[in-house]
Amino acid sequence: TFQTNVLTELKKWKLSLIEHHKLQMRQEKEKHASHVRQLSNEMANLKELLRTYEISIGRKDEVITNLTKALERQKEKIELMRNFTLWRIQHIKAKQEEYANRIADRQFRTALMKKVWTAWRSHSEEKWKEKVAKACQLRAEDVCVQLTNDYEAKIAELTATLEQTKAEVLRLHSDREQYEATMKKAFMRGVCALNLEAMTMFQGK
């Protein structure tokens, strides 16, 4: 009986241990299952976060690619602008040099033409002066001859006029003398007539 009791107690104690062990195992399983669920949720969250990161990284890669392409395009554009600017500067320099050469040639031709013109003008002026001097001399001779002829003709005309005037003066003197003689005779006749009339009057009284 004691042994039976002991066996019974041992069995109870064994069953109790088994139940306790089962309870602990069930609790551990529940705890493990809870931990597994937590880990699964964390893994799901991490997967979602990883997917978000992947999308973000993909977008970043796309943005980086677009920026790289834009930078390449900008670089090409800047290179084109640089080449165009260099070409324009060279073109402007070439035009400036061409313009400067053209101005220099024009100034050289102008200076040369001035020299030629000055030399030709000096030569022409000398010839012209000689021609003018000869022409003036010939003209002066012609004028002197013409004036001499004119003065001789004028002198002849004035001489003839003077002779006519002298003759007219002589005629006028002659007429005056005749007029004075006539007037003297008339005066004397008048005086004689008055004298006779006076004598007649005196004799009558």
Side-chain angles (χ1 to χ4, degrees):
T1 59
F2 178 72
Q3 186 177 2
T4 303
N5 290 333
V6 170
L7 290 171
T8 302
E9 286 297 327
L10 285 172
K11 189 182 284 187
K12 286 181 180 180
W13 183 65
K14 181 180 179 182
L15 290 173
S16 177
L17 285 174
I18 290 170
E19 289 296 328
H20 182 66
H21 180 68
K22 286 182 179 180
L23 180 61
Q24 285 182 348
M25 287 294 291
R26 191 165 54 249
Q27 290 178 352
E28 287 295 329
K29 282 182 180 180
E30 291 177 358
K31 193 186 290 184
H32 177 70
S34 176
H35 186 62
V36 168
R37 282 195 302 272
Q38 185 178 358
L39 290 174
S40 296
N41 291 330
E42 288 180 359
M43 283 183 67
N45 293 330
L46 289 172
K47 284 182 180 180
E48 187 68 25
L49 184 62
L50 181 61
R51 194 163 63 86
T52 303
Y53 283 161
E54 288 177 351
I55 294 171
S56 179
I57 289 169
R59 289 179 180 175
K60 286 180 180 178
D61 291 337
E62 185 178 357
V63 169
I64 290 169
T65 302
N66 292 331
L67 288 174
T68 303
K69 289 180 180 180
L71 286 173
E72 289 294 330
R73 286 195 299 268
Q74 190 69 23
K75 186 177 179 182
E76 291 176 357
K77 188 176 180 180
I78 290 170
E79 188 67 23
L80 288 174
M81 289 296 292
R82 179 175 172 275
N83 293 330
F84 177 74
T85 305
L86 290 174
W87 173 82
R88 179 127 189 183
I89 290 170
Q90 291 176 355
H91 185 64
I92 291 171
K93 283 183 178 179
K95 278 192 173 181
Q96 288 177 349
E97 289 179 359
E98 182 182 356
Y99 180 73
N101 292 329
R102 193 162 60 246
I103 293 296
D105 291 338
R106 186 182 300 172
Q107 288 181 351
F108 175 74
R109 285 197 301 270
T110 304
L112 186 61
M113 287 175 67
K114 283 182 179 179
K115 287 183 180 179
V116 173
W117 167 255
T118 303
W120 177 82
R121 187 175 180 182
S122 177
H123 183 67
S124 297
E125 283 182 354
E126 289 178 0
K127 286 189 175 181
W128 179 77
K129 284 179 181 178
E130 291 177 359
K131 288 183 180 179
V132 169
K134 288 182 180 178
C136 288
Q137 185 177 357
L138 293 174
R139 181 62 180 166
E141 291 176 356
D142 292 338
V143 169
C144 288
V145 172
Q146 186 68 33
L147 287 174
T148 302
N149 295 330
D150 291 342
Y151 283 137
E152 288 178 354
K154 191 71 176 177
I155 289 169
E157 183 181 355
L158 291 173
T159 302
T161 305
L162 181 61
E163 294 295 328
Q164 290 178 1
T165 305
K166 284 180 179 181
E168 185 70 22
V169 168
L170 290 174
R171 188 181 64 78
L172 290 173
H173 278 295
S174 178
D175 291 342
R176 182 179 176 182
E177 288 177 355
Q178 291 179 3
Y179 178 74
E180 286 179 352
T182 303
M183 288 296 293
K184 189 176 181 180
K185 289 179 180 179
F187 182 72
M188 291 301 292
R189 284 195 298 269
V191 170
C192 289
L194 286 173
N195 289 331
L196 288 174
E197 188 175 355
M199 287 177 68
T200 301
M201 289 178 66
F202 285 129
Q203 287 175 0
K205 288 182 180 182

